[in-house]
Amino acid sequence: MTKLTSLTIKEALDGLKKKEFTATELTEAHIKASEAAQHLNCYITETYDHARAQAKESDARYAKGEAKLLDGVPIAMKDLYCTEGIRTTAGSKILENFKPPYESTVSGNMFRDGAIMLGKANLDEFAMGSSNTTSAYGNVINPWQRKGDNKPLVPGGSSGGSAAAVAARIAMGATGTDTGGSIRQPAAFCGITGIKPTYGRCSRFGIIAFASSLDQAGPFARTVEDCALLLQSMAGYDPKDSTSVNRPVPEYFKSVGQSVKGLKVGVPKEYRVDGANPEITALWDKGVEMMKAAGAEIVDVSLPHTKYALQTYYVIAPAECSSNLARYDGVRFGLRVEGGNLNDTYEATRAAGFGKEVKRRILIGTYVLSAGYYDAYYNKARRVRKLIWQDFINAYEKCDVLLTPTAPTPAFAIGENEQDPVTMYLNDIFTVPASMAGMPGISLPVGLSGDGLPLGLQLLGRPFDEETVFKAASALEKAASFTHLPQSLMNKAA
Amino acid sequence: MAHALLKGETGDWEMVIGLEVHAQILTKSKLFSGASAAFGAAPNTQVSPIDAGFPGMLPVINTLCIEKAVRTGLGLNAKINLYSVFERKNYFYPDLPQGYQISQYQHPIVGEGEIEIDLPDGSTKAIGIERLHVEQDAGKSLHDQHPAKSYVDLNRSGNPLMEIVSKPHMNSAEEAAAYVTKLRAIVRYLDTCDGNMDEGSMRCDVNVSVRKPGDALGTRCEIKNVNSVRFVQQAIEYEARRQIEVIEGGGTIKQETRLFDTKNGTTRAMRSKEDAHDYRYFPDPDLLPLKLEQGFVDNIKSTLPELPDAKKKRFIALGLSSYDAGVLVAEKERAAFFEKVSNNNDPKMAANWVTTELAGALNKTGKSLDESPVSAEQLGGLLKLIADNTISGKIAKDVFAEMFASGKDAATIVEGKGLKQVTDTGAIEKIVDEVLAENPDKIAEYKSGKDKLFGFFVGQTLKKSGGKANPAIVNDLLKKKLSS
Amino acid sequence: MSIDINTVRKVAKLARIRTTDADAEVLTGELNNILAMIGQLNEVKTDGIEPMTSVIEMNLPERADEVTDGGIPEKILANAPEKAAGFFVVPKVVE
Ligand SMILES: [Mg+2]
Ligand SMILES: [Zn+2]
């Protein structure tokens, strides 16, 4: 029998159905793998007992022939999703002991469908970061290493724990959230697949907000098909979220493997930036050739405001976060540091509870919304956002999907890019535009860098056209046939 | 009405007053959550995680709040904005769980309008409405439970409010009082707010400034949360005086927020110096812009009830005095009560009974109209007995007292106590004869020219009949017999 | 546009985050770098462009006026750092 932790979700579901193994066995295998991979620090809170109880219920359903879409599949839950009665920290000290009295809609959907939660995955504090180094619970280590170099690398962020867990085969899939690239960039850094669906496709109810007009839930897995299965469970209309869109959820897995003959793949010239990493550019060219070979038609397109997406993002996201994070005041939940009076208590609580990056963003956001700067920064950014959105709409008149690199570099070492926040922010340069426009985007591993690190490409689609994104991604996945394993796993295998 | 000017040492001063009234929209649940919006529950029992600003919680708007805001806007003769936006007003306070209030700022749901206020001298004045916007209420902080702590109850957090902002069109405390009274009547007629100021369903922020007549507007102070019509008047009177004294003493008025002290009728600057407010309003990204169809607005318009001004005009046309009509329409229930009483009865008589006999009895027993032991139908029944001569007006007052005490119908009491007027001429004639036989001396005096004694005979006859003899018949018979 | 250390202090106060002098100094430099980056937005011509609030083009959804929540004071208070008699408790607020 193959190792249970190396199965895809699809394979595991088939095996469970055929009673080749039980959900409990599958879960125990992943708990064992998780315990062996503790040094990666993928979880802030392990929920093994919870997982075992869920597995038991899952086995009961299999026994009765009532298995659900994801029944028995062990996953990691980004610790930004509120889970009822289970500590939810958002990677922040300010929520160190917070136990939500409610379940997020998306985690609830997955539990309804039989998914098993192994733990609450580590992340950048309040999802603010691109390296998972801003977590108050320690950084996550990427299971990949450079050839001949054992310096620990970042998994990307903010959903770093989720991506690393799936890459390290300690979870079969995971949830993430993507505000400016927080699913796609860590997927690329960890050599796995992750999709940010269209804004409004998954409910935000119960997911701790970072930037409300951008935040979107999505899955990680090791194949496009597995991502499709997970998203199908996660997505759907939720009357509890006023930005949730009421339209049916297609059976995404049916798009996997469909022909891309005649599909128009746009290649936006603005993503060819000066001084780009040549390996990334080469990978991109290779991806274009693969799509062409699979029968797609390549179209040159232009997204003229791409250059300003990051700037727009760093006005709008901090503005929204400065307001969203005002509720962490030590009054109703979370950390309180007593001061002499109420204001001292507020200031001491928030100074102690928030980390550096979160504070920076709150301050930037407070500043751009404050009297006198609102128009110059905030409204200006909202106008540019409209132009960025319009760019995509225009491009989609010429093509069905866009193909771009996911990140400008492969995973970097922990401590690198820390000298200045802006250097770190540049990591999201290719993922942010689609976030600003609310478009769906998937990242999948297509090749390796010279020093043996995974590199990802990103496919972006029209609003609510995840089906085409999955179709294109599965064609690219097939062509790339990325089978490399993180060194840690290869060593173990050896 | 001429502006009421205040006399200062340096001459006359004019007050300029504008009001911001927060009126709680009459709904079962909150503006953005499904928790109850009812008043008076145990602390934190009507709180959803949304109202407590818990992580990941999101607002979903209550459709009835939109409908009632539009309804109120129409009642204020105001422009309904088909496009409005919910924005966040950011500030820290323990009873503001999200760290922001969801309100409307640049694009309110209702724009400019105008209402008419009724002044004590019987005149009216038009007061402009600047806007009406919908927003969340905050929770409640209790400062008197503990020497070093404040206690926070979030039951009120998230309750739906309409903030109705007037133009600075009022120039006296009486006008401000009349404005609040009229606004309260309008929202109650519209059924959009219960207007209950004791429970905080309506709260006033009063903006006051003073100036020499003809000068530019002075610097205003805002007095927060003044919660009765009487306090509005007191606060304005005190504040205007204070400002005049400051200016005449060589000082200047600082634009500030002040609190009204109900114990001594004064205002004082708030101690919490929120260092220069900067609310950082921005559109709430959790909510999309609110777009209404004109048809939706028209539909609401077609269901508006008759409002106090129109009703007052109609009552006057029925023959009521402007004063009586004003008293009756001031309260929706009173007007409705009157209309039921006057159904098939003389309107003037009905108005009289409602505003004097009934109001007096209610007042004496400390009851409100909806607690009246005599229903409108019952009072109408009494008036009918007067109109068809079953009882006299005098007996009617006794019957009413009995009705008020027992809750019985007028007819039952009249029947049971045999109070029916005697209209049988033979029977009355017998009593008249008795009276005449007992008073030969008085007859002589009458006949010698003392006409006034006619009243004496009538009185005696009525008395002997136990008040039941029909006065007209008594009159006729006496006239006939005394002139023979 | 760039900001000085006093503005940073003021903004930190507005955001209720205690900032030491050393923090404020570091933050001034970092925030100026970020502001320099976002200042590039001035290169974009946006005349006549409506500011975008949401990427989804739909009407604001509404819910019926029904009581569906509340009645869970113990859950609401469960995470409170300080509570008494069913209330949240904070250092005294002076008005
Ligand atoms: Mg106000
Ligand atoms: Zn207000």
Side-chain angles (χ1 to χ4, degrees):
Chain A
M1 192 174 77
T2 17
K3 231 173 128 187
L4 290 178
T5 54
S6 60
L7 299 173
T8 66
I9 292 173
K10 181 69 177 26
E11 289 165 349
L13 287 169
D14 288 345
L16 285 163
K17 240 166 261 159
K18 291 187 200 141
K19 310 240 172 1
E20 288 167 7
F21 44 83
T22 64
T24 298
E25 284 162 359
L26 190 62
T27 300
E28 291 298 345
H30 282 89
I31 291 173
K32 209 174 137 211
S34 296
E35 281 171 336
Q38 264 180 356
H39 65 288
L40 299 180
N41 198 25
C42 290
Y43 294 119
I44 290 174
T45 306
E46 289 147 350
T47 57
Y48 298 154
D49 288 342
H50 187 261
R52 289 180 172 115
Q54 285 182 313
K56 223 169 145 186
E57 289 170 25
S58 181
D59 282 327
R61 282 191 294 271
Y62 274 106
K64 281 191 274 177
E66 292 169 359
K68 311 277 183 46
L69 181 66
L70 297 176
D71 228 320
V73 174
I75 59 160
M77 189 71 70
K78 188 178 185 178
D79 204 18
L80 202 61
Y81 289 65
C82 287
T83 41
E84 189 171 354
I86 295 171
R87 184 169 83 130
T88 301
T89 70
S92 181
K93 207 177 151 193
I94 213 156
L95 285 178
E96 194 167 8
N97 297 309
F98 177 62
K99 284 187 181 169
Y102 43 84
E103 188 74 40
S104 86
T105 297
V106 171
S107 55
N109 288 349
M110 298 180 89
F111 297 150
R112 172 204 66 203
D113 289 339
I116 288 165
M117 181 171 74
L118 296 163
K120 301 298 294 286
N122 206 338
L123 70 158
D124 278 303
E125 183 177 7
F126 282 102
M128 296 178 204
S130 309
S131 58
N132 214 119
T133 50
T134 73
S135 168
Y137 302 88
N139 49 259
V140 174
I141 293 170
N142 192 327
W144 292 81
Q145 286 177 351
R146 290 173 186 142
K147 246 188 274 170
D149 177 359
N150 55 10
K151 231 190 252 169
L153 305 181
V154 303
S158 64
S159 315
S162 301
V166 173
R169 274 66 177 168
I170 66 175
M172 307 199 86
T175 59
T177 62
D178 190 316
T179 304
S182 285
I183 290 175
R184 291 159 289 159
Q185 184 255 19
F189 277 20
C190 292
I192 59 168
T193 301
I195 179 168
K196 175 197 96 76
T198 313
Y199 182 83
R201 181 70 285 188
C202 290
S203 170
R204 293 185 297 113
F205 181 86
I207 297 176
I208 297 178
F210 159 20
S212 314
S213 78
L214 297 157
D215 296 345
Q216 196 43 214
F220 292 96
R222 294 187 291 265
T223 68
V224 173
E225 184 177 37
D226 286 0
C227 274
L229 284 168
L230 291 172
L231 183 61
Q232 197 170 316
S233 170
M234 296 166 78
Y237 171 62
D238 182 7
K240 291 192 277 191
D241 173 2
S242 297
T243 61
S244 165
V245 175
N246 192 356
R247 52 192 292 163
V249 179
E251 292 186 297
Y252 291 128
F253 65 86
K254 288 188 174 161
S255 304
V256 173
Q258 281 186 17
S259 163
V260 293
K261 215 156 243 134
L263 187 80
K264 289 186 179 143
V265 177
V267 178
K269 63 173 187 228
E270 288 80 7
Y271 281 63
R272 252 172 238 283
V273 291
D274 291 341
N277 179 327
E279 284 183 334
I280 302 279
T281 311
L283 180 87
W284 188 14
D285 293 340
K286 206 171 112 191
V288 170
E289 288 311 313
M290 288 172 176
M291 292 307 290
K292 205 190 279 178
E297 186 186 323
I298 306 300
V299 190
D300 287 325
V301 295
S302 171
L303 301 166
H305 297 91
T306 299
K307 196 180 154 190
Y308 299 103
L310 202 64
Q311 289 85 333
T312 310
Y313 178 83
Y314 276 97
V315 174
I316 289 171
E320 292 181 7
C321 103
S322 72
S323 177
N324 281 336
L325 269 59
R327 66 190 60 202
Y328 305 103
D329 58 4
V331 174
R332 297 161 312 285
F333 45 78
L335 179 76
R336 177 191 292 185
V337 177
E338 297 288 348
N341 57 39
L342 179 71
N343 252 330
D344 287 346
T345 301
Y346 281 155
E347 292 189 351
T349 297
R350 291 164 62 80
F354 291 140
K356 279 198 171 76
E357 181 60 22
V358 169
K359 287 180 197 167
R360 267 196 291 270
R361 296 202 195 186
I362 290 175
L363 294 191
I364 280 287
T366 304
Y367 180 71
V368 299
L369 287 177
S370 65
Y373 303 102
Y374 183 84
D375 275 315
Y377 288 118
Y378 183 67
N379 265 345
K380 182 77 184 180
R382 288 167 68 215
R383 291 194 165 92
V384 178
R385 183 176 187 182
K386 181 79 180 233
L387 294 172
I388 292 166
W389 176 82
Q390 192 62 54
D391 282 354
F392 278 95
I393 298 299
N394 294 344
Y396 289 135
E397 284 180 2
K398 298 201 186 100
C399 64
D400 303 307
V401 291
L402 294 158
L403 179 64
T404 81
T406 307
T409 67
F412 46 87
I414 289 166
E416 277 175 23
N417 290 335
E418 298 272 348
Q419 59 279 26
D420 177 69
V422 174
T423 315
M424 186 66 89
Y425 296 169
L426 290 171
N427 262 290
D428 295 330
I429 189 159
F430 297 142
T431 48
V432 154
S435 298
M436 297 313 297
M439 306 294 168
I442 196 168
S443 175
L444 62 153
V446 172
L448 287 184
S449 69
D451 49 10
L453 294 181
L455 299 174
L457 289 180
Q458 171 180 239
L459 281 154
L460 305 173
R462 294 190 180 96
F464 296 99
D465 191 13
E466 282 82 4
E467 288 166 288
T468 301
V469 172
F470 280 125
K471 181 168 86 174
S474 76
L476 187 59
E477 178 183 51
K478 194 170 162 214
S481 61
F482 184 93
T483 51
H484 308 280
L485 286 175
Q487 288 81 349
S488 54
L489 292 179
M490 289 198 293
N491 296 345
K492 236 173 258 161
Chain B
M1 190 169 100
H3 284 177
L5 297 177
L6 288 176
K7 290 242 177 296
E9 284 171 17
T10 60
D12 287 345
W13 291 86
E14 181 188 52
M15 292 183 244
V16 179
I17 302 157
L19 269 80
E20 291 167 23
V21 174
H22 285 95
Q24 183 175 334
I25 308 175
L26 203 50
T27 58
K28 292 202 278 275
S29 63
K30 294 186 178 182
L31 179 55
F32 293 116
S33 90
S36 167
F39 176 81
N44 292 307
T45 55
Q46 295 182 169
V47 181
S48 138
I50 299 167
D51 311 314
F54 272 58
M57 292 299 94
L58 296 172
V60 181
I61 198 161
N62 181 339
T63 184
L64 192 59
C65 296
I66 300 169
E67 191 188 313
K68 290 202 167 180
V70 169
R71 196 170 159 82
T72 307
L74 292 169
L76 302 175
N77 310 299
K79 179 175 182 288
I80 306 303
N81 293 322
L82 298 181
Y83 177 88
S84 68
V85 177
F86 286 95
E87 304 205 30
R88 295 183 181 178
K89 178 183 184 179
N90 295 281
Y91 65 95
F92 287 87
Y93 204 76
D95 60 24
L96 188 73
Q98 294 153 307
Y100 55 83
Q101 177 194 33
I102 305 178
S103 182
Q104 296 187 305
Y105 185 55
Q106 286 193 8
H107 303 279
I109 188 165
V110 176
E112 291 188 328
E114 188 178 273
I115 64 170
E116 206 167 75
I117 60 170
D118 303 293
L119 295 166
D121 67 356
S123 66
T124 60
K125 179 177 175 179
I127 304 294
I129 301 292
E130 178 68 37
R131 60 187 277 160
L132 175 156
H133 64 255
V134 173
E135 63 184 20
Q136 298 176 295
D137 205 347
K140 224 172 173 160
S141 300
L142 308 176
H143 307 305
D144 51 4
Q145 309 283 305
H146 188 284
K149 308 278 186 184
S150 290
Y151 283 30
V152 181
D153 171 17
L154 297 179
N155 278 351
R156 214 179 61 184
S157 165
N159 274 356
L161 299 179
M162 301 178 278
E163 180 173 332
I164 303 164
V165 183
S166 83
K167 301 210 170 197
H169 283 175
M170 285 155 277
N171 302 100
S172 70
E174 289 71 35
E175 289 183 5
Y179 171 81
V180 176
T181 305
K182 180 49 79 64
L183 205 55
R184 184 172 173 277
I186 292 172
V187 294
R188 285 168 48 90
Y189 270 73
L190 293 167
D191 199 33
T192 57
C193 170
D194 67 18
N196 196 331
M197 297 185 84
D198 293 338
E199 294 179 357
S201 306
M202 251 182 96
R203 311 194 289 270
C204 305
D205 298 342
V206 188
N207 286 292
V208 181
S209 65
V210 296
R211 66 174 169 190
K212 288 286 175 65
D215 281 3
L217 282 177
T219 304
R220 65 189 164 88
C221 291
E222 183 178 12
I223 313 161
K224 282 265 175 219
N225 281 335
V226 193
N227 294 336
S228 82
V229 176
R230 191 164 60 87
F231 291 156
V232 167
Q233 294 207 50
Q234 279 182 15
I236 291 170
E237 271 153 17
Y238 175 86
E239 179 62 17
R241 275 280 155 221
R242 184 192 72 83
Q243 292 184 13
I244 292 168
E245 271 167 38
V246 169
I247 300 168
E248 292 190 331
T252 50
I253 300 299
K254 257 197 325 198
Q255 184 164 347
E256 63 188 359
T257 304
R258 300 179 67 84
L259 291 175
F260 179 66
D261 188 333
T262 53
K263 285 190 202 84
N264 52 27
T266 62
T267 69
R268 62 172 168 84
M270 279 179 80
R271 265 190 287 167
S272 55
K273 281 234 174 57
E274 310 115 281
D275 24 357
H277 280 303
D278 189 341
Y279 290 128
R280 289 158 287 138
Y281 279 100
F282 75 106
D284 191 330
D286 288 331
L287 295 162
L288 305 164
L290 175 61
K291 292 171 193 158
L292 305 176
E293 305 274 337
Q294 186 57 46
F296 169 79
V297 177
D298 293 343
N299 254 341
I300 295 173
K301 199 167 197 167
S302 71
T303 67
L304 286 190
E306 184 182 38
L307 289 174
D309 288 345
K311 207 179 268 293
K312 186 178 167 188
K313 281 190 192 107
R314 186 163 59 79
F315 285 1
I316 291 171
L318 290 176
L320 269 56
S321 70
S322 168
Y323 178 83
D324 275 356
V327 169
L328 288 173
V329 303
E331 297 281 352
K332 174 185 163 191
E333 291 78 8
R334 203 183 299 152
F337 195 98
F338 161 74
E339 299 216 63
K340 264 189 216 157
V341 175
S342 67
N343 184 28
N344 289 326
N345 278 313
D346 173 47
K348 271 164 92 172
M349 186 158 141
N352 239 342
W353 276 85
V354 173
T355 57
T356 53
E357 291 303 319
L358 178 65
L362 289 172
N363 216 350
K364 214 179 286 172
T365 49
K367 286 193 166 92
S368 65
L369 187 61
D370 62 330
E371 298 164 329
S372 171
V374 179
S375 72
E377 288 78 5
Q378 286 176 311
L379 184 55
L382 177 65
L383 300 198
K384 270 187 194 74
L385 295 182
I386 302 172
D388 68 9
N389 283 327
T390 307
I391 55 172
S392 67
K394 190 159 175 297
I395 290 281
K397 291 196 179 171
D398 299 334
V399 174
F400 175 78
E402 178 73 24
M403 290 166 77
F404 198 87
S406 67
K408 285 185 195 152
D409 285 351
T412 313
I413 293 167
V414 168
E415 193 70 40
K417 295 204 163 177
L419 297 174
K420 248 189 187 151
Q421 274 193 122
V422 180
T423 48
D424 170 356
T425 314
I428 296 174
E429 188 167 11
K430 223 174 117 198
I431 301 170
V432 168
D433 289 343
E434 279 174 37
V435 169
L436 292 178
E438 285 162 13
N439 294 291
D441 45 339
K442 292 275 184 340
I443 295 171
E445 280 179 56
Y446 177 81
K447 288 198 167 166
S448 66
K450 227 172 169 186
D451 288 355
K452 276 187 196 155
L453 277 171
F454 188 77
F456 165 82
F457 295 115
V458 173
Q460 288 298 305
T461 311
L462 289 177
K463 198 171 160 196
K464 235 184 167 64
S465 77
K468 292 187 287 183
N470 181 306
I473 299 171
V474 172
N475 265 321
D476 279 359
L477 286 171
L478 277 170
K479 242 175 229 161
K480 218 190 306 169
K481 296 202 182 232
L482 286 169
S483 63
S484 63
Chain C
M1 272 184 268
S2 69
I3 55 171
D4 58 21
I5 191 162
N6 282 329
T7 310
V8 171
R9 286 197 188 100
K10 221 183 81 193
V11 172
K13 260 209 137 46
L14 205 50
R16 298 294 187 275
I17 297 176
R18 175 166 299 156
T19 315
T20 64
D21 286 345
D23 292 341
E25 197 137 333
V26 174
L27 279 164
T28 306
E30 289 171 346
L31 297 192
N32 272 320
N33 285 351
I34 298 169
L35 288 172
M37 174 187 76
I38 63 186
Q40 291 163 19
L41 288 175
N42 289 323
E43 298 166 10
V44 189
K45 257 183 86 91
T46 53
D47 305 346
I49 306 294
E50 266 302 298
M52 182 176 237
T53 298
S54 175
V55 295
I56 39 178
E57 295 162 309
M58 62 175 200
N59 281 342
L60 179 68
E62 298 164 16
R63 50 164 247 278
D65 177 37
E66 278 157 16
V67 176
T68 55
D69 207 344
I72 46 165
E74 60 297 327
K75 284 185 175 180
I76 292 296
L77 289 155
N79 285 282
E82 192 180 354
K83 58 190 163 187
F87 294 92
F88 295 101
V89 177
V90 296
K92 194 163 197 99
V93 182
V94 272
E95 287 198 317

PDB file of all heavy atoms in Angstrom, chain B residues 20 22 89 101 103 133 135 161 163 205, ligand 2:
ATOM      1  N   GLU B  20     -30.064  67.860  16.350  1.00  0.00           N
ATOM      2  CA  GLU B  20     -29.845  66.533  15.776  1.00  0.00           C
ATOM      3  C   GLU B  20     -30.616  65.578  16.657  1.00  0.00           C
ATOM      4  O   GLU B  20     -30.306  65.448  17.839  1.00  0.00           O
ATOM      5  CB  GLU B  20     -28.359  66.178  15.796  1.00  0.00           C
ATOM      6  CG  GLU B  20     -27.534  67.012  14.838  1.00  0.00           C
ATOM      7  CD  GLU B  20     -26.034  66.872  15.089  1.00  0.00           C
ATOM      8  OE1 GLU B  20     -25.612  65.854  15.669  1.00  0.00           O
ATOM      9  OE2 GLU B  20     -25.305  67.794  14.705  1.00  0.00           O
ATOM     10  N   HIS B  22     -31.791  61.801  17.418  1.00  0.00           N
ATOM     11  CA  HIS B  22     -31.618  60.375  17.144  1.00  0.00           C
ATOM     12  C   HIS B  22     -32.915  59.667  17.498  1.00  0.00           C
ATOM     13  O   HIS B  22     -33.350  59.717  18.645  1.00  0.00           O
ATOM     14  CB  HIS B  22     -30.476  59.798  17.985  1.00  0.00           C
ATOM     15  CG  HIS B  22     -29.127  60.188  17.474  1.00  0.00           C
ATOM     16  ND1 HIS B  22     -28.432  61.258  17.944  1.00  0.00           N
ATOM     17  CD2 HIS B  22     -28.352  59.642  16.507  1.00  0.00           C
ATOM     18  CE1 HIS B  22     -27.279  61.367  17.296  1.00  0.00           C
ATOM     19  NE2 HIS B  22     -27.203  60.400  16.421  1.00  0.00           N
ATOM     20  N   LYS B  89     -17.552  55.424  10.888  1.00  0.00           N
ATOM     21  CA  LYS B  89     -17.069  56.563  11.657  1.00  0.00           C
ATOM     22  C   LYS B  89     -16.182  55.985  12.758  1.00  0.00           C
ATOM     23  O   LYS B  89     -16.667  55.296  13.659  1.00  0.00           O
ATOM     24  CB  LYS B  89     -18.268  57.303  12.247  1.00  0.00           C
ATOM     25  CG  LYS B  89     -17.932  58.485  13.118  1.00  0.00           C
ATOM     26  CD  LYS B  89     -19.221  59.074  13.690  1.00  0.00           C
ATOM     27  CE  LYS B  89     -18.935  60.321  14.497  1.00  0.00           C
ATOM     28  NZ  LYS B  89     -20.179  60.910  15.032  1.00  0.00           N
ATOM     29  N   GLN B 101     -18.556  53.272  14.179  1.00  0.00           N
ATOM     30  CA  GLN B 101     -20.008  53.246  14.082  1.00  0.00           C
ATOM     31  C   GLN B 101     -20.344  53.186  12.602  1.00  0.00           C
ATOM     32  O   GLN B 101     -19.810  53.983  11.823  1.00  0.00           O
ATOM     33  CB  GLN B 101     -20.587  54.526  14.696  1.00  0.00           C
ATOM     34  CG  GLN B 101     -22.094  54.650  14.583  1.00  0.00           C
ATOM     35  CD  GLN B 101     -22.589  56.055  14.888  1.00  0.00           C
ATOM     36  OE1 GLN B 101     -21.904  57.038  14.602  1.00  0.00           O
ATOM     37  NE2 GLN B 101     -23.771  56.174  15.449  1.00  0.00           N
ATOM     38  N   SER B 103     -22.490  54.330   9.868  1.00  0.00           N
ATOM     39  CA  SER B 103     -23.388  55.464   9.732  1.00  0.00           C
ATOM     40  C   SER B 103     -23.419  55.856   8.259  1.00  0.00           C
ATOM     41  O   SER B 103     -22.882  55.148   7.418  1.00  0.00           O
ATOM     42  CB  SER B 103     -22.849  56.610  10.606  1.00  0.00           C
ATOM     43  OG  SER B 103     -23.698  57.732  10.547  1.00  0.00           O
ATOM     44  N   HIS B 133     -30.112  60.392   8.234  1.00  0.00           N
ATOM     45  CA  HIS B 133     -29.323  59.213   7.873  1.00  0.00           C
ATOM     46  C   HIS B 133     -29.535  58.090   8.879  1.00  0.00           C
ATOM     47  O   HIS B 133     -29.992  58.313   9.983  1.00  0.00           O
ATOM     48  CB  HIS B 133     -27.839  59.569   7.695  1.00  0.00           C
ATOM     49  CG  HIS B 133     -27.165  60.045   8.941  1.00  0.00           C
ATOM     50  ND1 HIS B 133     -26.851  61.371   9.163  1.00  0.00           N
ATOM     51  CD2 HIS B 133     -26.723  59.364  10.018  1.00  0.00           C
ATOM     52  CE1 HIS B 133     -26.249  61.480  10.336  1.00  0.00           C
ATOM     53  NE2 HIS B 133     -26.167  60.295  10.882  1.00  0.00           N
ATOM     54  N   GLU B 135     -28.062  54.907  11.080  1.00  0.00           N
ATOM     55  CA  GLU B 135     -26.805  54.506  11.718  1.00  0.00           C
ATOM     56  C   GLU B 135     -27.070  53.562  12.883  1.00  0.00           C
ATOM     57  O   GLU B 135     -28.208  53.394  13.319  1.00  0.00           O
ATOM     58  CB  GLU B 135     -26.037  55.743  12.192  1.00  0.00           C
ATOM     59  CG  GLU B 135     -26.768  56.543  13.261  1.00  0.00           C
ATOM     60  CD  GLU B 135     -26.032  57.834  13.641  1.00  0.00           C
ATOM     61  OE1 GLU B 135     -25.186  58.306  12.863  1.00  0.00           O
ATOM     62  OE2 GLU B 135     -26.318  58.366  14.730  1.00  0.00           O
ATOM     63  N   LEU B 161     -30.926  53.479  14.279  1.00  0.00           N
ATOM     64  CA  LEU B 161     -31.277  54.867  14.545  1.00  0.00           C
ATOM     65  C   LEU B 161     -31.443  55.624  13.251  1.00  0.00           C
ATOM     66  O   LEU B 161     -30.789  55.336  12.255  1.00  0.00           O
ATOM     67  CB  LEU B 161     -30.160  55.563  15.338  1.00  0.00           C
ATOM     68  CG  LEU B 161     -29.773  55.039  16.707  1.00  0.00           C
ATOM     69  CD1 LEU B 161     -28.632  55.867  17.270  1.00  0.00           C
ATOM     70  CD2 LEU B 161     -30.975  55.070  17.652  1.00  0.00           C
ATOM     71  N   GLU B 163     -30.775  59.490  12.356  1.00  0.00           N
ATOM     72  CA  GLU B 163     -30.342  60.787  12.863  1.00  0.00           C
ATOM     73  C   GLU B 163     -30.972  61.842  11.962  1.00  0.00           C
ATOM     74  O   GLU B 163     -30.707  61.893  10.766  1.00  0.00           O
ATOM     75  CB  GLU B 163     -28.820  60.923  12.888  1.00  0.00           C
ATOM     76  CG  GLU B 163     -28.413  62.300  13.438  1.00  0.00           C
ATOM     77  CD  GLU B 163     -26.904  62.474  13.668  1.00  0.00           C
ATOM     78  OE1 GLU B 163     -26.210  61.484  13.918  1.00  0.00           O
ATOM     79  OE2 GLU B 163     -26.450  63.640  13.578  1.00  0.00           O
ATOM     80  N   ASP B 205     -29.491  66.067  20.396  1.00  0.00           N
ATOM     81  CA  ASP B 205     -28.265  66.840  20.537  1.00  0.00           C
ATOM     82  C   ASP B 205     -28.624  68.245  20.075  1.00  0.00           C
ATOM     83  O   ASP B 205     -29.172  68.424  18.990  1.00  0.00           O
ATOM     84  CB  ASP B 205     -27.146  66.295  19.653  1.00  0.00           C
ATOM     85  CG  ASP B 205     -26.760  64.870  20.025  1.00  0.00           C
ATOM     86  OD1 ASP B 205     -27.102  64.444  21.134  1.00  0.00           O
ATOM     87  OD2 ASP B 205     -26.125  64.203  19.191  1.00  0.00           O
TER      88      ASP B 205
HETATM   89 ZN    ZN D   2     -25.606  60.096  15.162  1.00  0.00          ZN
END
